[in-house]
Amino acid sequence: MALASGARLPITVSVMAASTMNALDTTIANVALPHMQGSVSASQEQVGWVLTSYIVAAALTTPLTGWLAARLGRKRLLLVSISGFVIASMLCGVSNSLPEIVAFRFFQGMFGAPLTPLSQAVMLDVYPPEKHGRAMAVWGMGTVLGPVAGPILGGFLTDSLSWRWVFFINLPIGILAFAGCWLFISGKSTDDRKPFDFLGFAALVAFIGSAQLLLDRGPSVDWFSSRETWIYLIIAAIGLWVFVLHSLTVRHPFFDRRLMADRNFMVVTLFGFGIGMLLYTAVALLPPITQGLMGYSAFDSGFLTVPRGVGALIAMFLTGALVGRMDTRLILALGLTLTAVAAWRMSHFDLVMGTQQIVVAGLLQGLGIGVMFVPMNAVAYATIPFSLRAEASSVNTIVRNMGSSVGISVMQASAVANGQVMHESLAGRINPADPVVAAGLAAPYDTVSVAGLSALNAEISRQATMVAYLDDFRLMLIMVICASPLLLLMRPPKIRTGEMDHAAVE
């Protein structure tokens, strides 16, 4: 059944509001954690579960999106997810204890998990194939800009009102999204009676949940020196092994095997894992540099992430018109080149640089990510049947989110380890008997007084940490280069004109 083109705009606004609301909440609460900590009398480690509970709940629920959409219909699932997300947000805002916030954040993540893959599937359904590039450009804007804008909006709301408003802000957005989906998305029953694969789902949940906890808790418990992380690793390994073996042998696996047979989808999904690592890693590394090492305020540090979002916005707007008119592999190659140049510029940061260097690098990285985001999604879903789009989108979302978690954890662990190594190396070079060193040990960096030694050690730590972050940026550059050969495995899709297979949203 074809969809009237006049309904596309309100549907687009509605699903974009839902997707952006969910994307914002992945980062908007980060800057409010210190205020929550004092309000509910929690330790720094305890209040971290406010973030962990949301991430784990989203990771566990996302795989269910395809199956639930087939059983309930996309409209019903969207309405349930939006309403549940908003209610959980309100409950988070009125919570007065840490257990309450953690529990309601878990429900928030659980209801919010389907919003991103469902919104993407709906955008692909309501636009004809020749307009999928532009549709993915619009959808990508909310997905990419949400996490970037989250810290800025969260800081403003927390400073101007209170930490509770980082949750209350979801109410007007949720009402808009719910009303639009209720009024403009057509709902019809589904005849899909695919049996639920309980063993496959249980194995996948064990793998994703344990891996997510491993990546999130690893830095705070010193990784594999803790029994806790070993338990997570063993459960994740068993879960992955059982899921893969079961999926290859059972008649009705949890994820349809036709997805694995689609070469473009598999290559782009793997490519998306790397993009997920690049997308959020730089956002996570920049605040510790600007605030911890260079003395910027929280607001100024958050404001420096704006150029990255602006670059992504510009790139997506321009790239959407190119998809289908030129080889998507060339567009992706341009995006990789811009991202590589950005990583190279970031690897030359220093502690006395001005904001211009940060702005230019952020703008270039935003342009690179934006250029890649649109053709990636257009290529991935070009040959996926309509009935599998929600399931495919959930797989893509899971892999991209796992890439983000792996990237942030690996980079942070690398920064800590390399910082310690560089501290020892730099401290070993401080020899007061050396005339050159002695000439540089002016006040307050002397080796006689306690205050002088403390100041000297602090400066050594500052320099060593910066070197460690530069190593992370060089690692990002290597990752971009290593991802380039995947372009050779992609096949440019044949864009079908007309709306013959253009279905209304279920």
Side-chain angles (χ1 to χ4, degrees):
M1 184 172 70
L3 180 72
S5 59
R8 287 179 188 149
L9 179 59
I11 290 177
T12 299
V13 172
S14 302
V15 297
M16 283 302 302
S19 177
T20 302
M21 177 177 64
N22 179 56
L24 273 173
D25 269 65
T26 60
T27 58
I28 195 173
N30 295 29
V31 295
L33 286 184
H35 298 266
M36 294 183 197
Q37 182 180 346
S39 179
V40 299
S41 302
S43 67
Q44 183 175 0
E45 181 177 358
Q46 289 173 333
V47 80
W49 281 99
V50 173
L51 303 179
T52 302
S53 59
Y54 182 90
I55 295 172
V56 171
L60 297 180
T61 312
T62 301
L64 280 172
T65 301
W67 186 83
L68 289 174
R71 286 300 178 108
L72 301 178
R74 292 178 191 172
K75 176 177 179 176
R76 292 176 185 172
L77 184 55
L78 266 172
L79 294 177
V80 170
S81 298
I82 294 170
S83 57
F85 186 88
V86 172
I87 292 172
S89 298
M90 296 301 100
L91 292 173
C92 286
V94 299
S95 297
N96 293 311
S97 68
L98 183 64
E100 288 180 357
I101 299 177
V102 171
F104 295 138
R105 278 285 282 179
F106 184 89
F107 287 115
Q108 191 186 31
M110 185 177 69
F111 283 105
L115 294 178
T116 296
L118 277 180
S119 64
Q120 185 178 34
V122 168
M123 291 289 285
L124 289 169
D125 293 342
V126 300
Y127 286 89
E130 65 270 18
K131 294 184 178 180
H132 278 180
R134 294 183 181 181
M136 288 299 94
V138 174
W139 178 82
M141 290 176 188
T143 303
V144 173
L145 294 182
V148 174
I152 302 173
L153 180 59
F156 173 77
L157 292 173
T158 302
D159 292 339
S160 302
L161 299 169
S162 77
W163 63 265
R164 300 181 186 277
W165 279 90
V166 302
F167 301 113
F168 292 154
I169 191 65
N170 290 325
L171 180 60
I173 304 175
I175 291 175
L176 172 65
F178 186 93
C181 292
W182 176 273
L183 294 173
F184 297 103
I185 294 181
S186 62
K188 66 176 184 178
S189 60
T190 174
D191 295 326
D192 194 309
R193 291 294 181 265
K194 176 183 175 181
F196 187 77
D197 181 10
F198 287 98
L199 179 58
F201 175 67
L204 185 62
V205 165
F207 165 65
I208 294 177
S210 299
Q212 192 68 60
L213 285 169
L214 171 65
L215 295 169
D216 189 73
R217 293 280 297 158
S220 61
V221 296
D222 196 20
W223 290 102
F224 296 107
S225 61
S226 169
R227 181 182 299 177
E228 178 184 351
T229 49
W230 278 105
I231 293 175
Y232 293 147
L233 178 63
I234 292 172
I235 296 176
I238 294 174
L240 179 61
W241 181 77
V242 172
F243 176 75
V244 172
L245 184 63
H246 181 74
S247 297
L248 293 175
T249 56
V250 74
R251 182 177 180 182
H252 297 289
F254 186 75
F255 287 133
D256 198 301
R257 279 193 287 265
R258 284 178 291 175
L259 295 178
M260 292 183 286
D262 192 300
R263 189 170 89 177
N264 271 2
F265 177 78
M266 293 302 297
V267 172
V268 172
T269 299
L270 180 60
F271 197 78
F273 181 87
I275 297 303
M277 296 180 72
L278 296 173
L279 177 59
Y280 296 108
T281 299
V283 177
L285 293 181
L286 188 59
I289 294 175
T290 54
Q291 294 182 57
L293 304 181
M294 302 178 65
Y296 283 55
S297 67
F299 178 80
D300 290 340
S301 178
F303 194 74
L304 286 174
T305 63
V306 172
R308 181 178 286 101
V310 171
L313 184 66
I314 294 173
M316 289 179 184
F317 180 78
L318 297 176
T319 309
L322 296 177
V323 174
R325 300 186 179 184
M326 63 180 297
D327 194 329
T328 51
R329 293 170 295 185
L330 296 178
I331 303 176
L332 289 170
L334 173 61
L336 282 175
T337 302
L338 290 170
T339 307
V341 173
W344 177 79
R345 289 187 66 93
M346 287 188 288
S347 70
H348 289 79
F349 279 176
D350 60 71
L351 292 171
V352 295
M353 65 181 174
T355 57
Q356 180 181 357
Q357 291 174 263
I358 301 175
V359 168
V360 172
L363 181 64
L364 286 173
Q365 188 180 53
L367 288 170
I369 296 294
V371 166
M372 289 187 288
F373 208 85
V374 177
M376 273 175 50
N377 287 286
V379 171
Y381 302 104
T383 53
I384 296 294
F386 166 80
S387 60
L388 294 180
R389 280 177 182 167
E391 191 170 312
S393 185
S394 66
V395 172
N396 198 289
T397 301
I398 293 169
V399 174
R400 187 171 62 246
N401 289 343
M402 289 295 293
S404 302
S405 299
V406 171
I408 292 173
S409 297
V410 168
M411 294 299 179
Q412 288 179 340
S414 174
V416 172
N418 290 342
Q420 294 172 348
V421 172
M422 286 307 304
H423 186 281
E424 294 178 3
S425 177
L426 293 175
R429 299 172 185 269
I430 304 296
N431 181 9
D434 188 328
V436 177
V437 175
L441 293 177
Y445 307 117
D446 63 73
T447 58
V448 179
S449 66
V450 174
L453 285 172
S454 178
L456 180 60
N457 182 67
E459 181 60 24
I460 292 174
S461 298
R462 180 169 170 262
Q463 298 285 345
T465 303
M466 186 64 185
V467 173
Y469 282 127
L470 297 183
D471 288 340
D472 278 354
F473 294 136
R474 294 187 185 98
L475 180 58
M476 289 173 58
L477 176 58
I478 295 174
M479 288 166 49
V480 174
I481 296 173
C482 292
S484 300
L486 289 175
L487 299 181
L488 302 177
L489 299 178
M490 297 182 188
R491 291 179 294 188
K494 295 180 180 179
I495 303 298
R496 296 165 293 181
T497 58
E499 302 190 19
M500 293 175 57
D501 64 340
H502 175 50
V505 181
E506 290 184 348

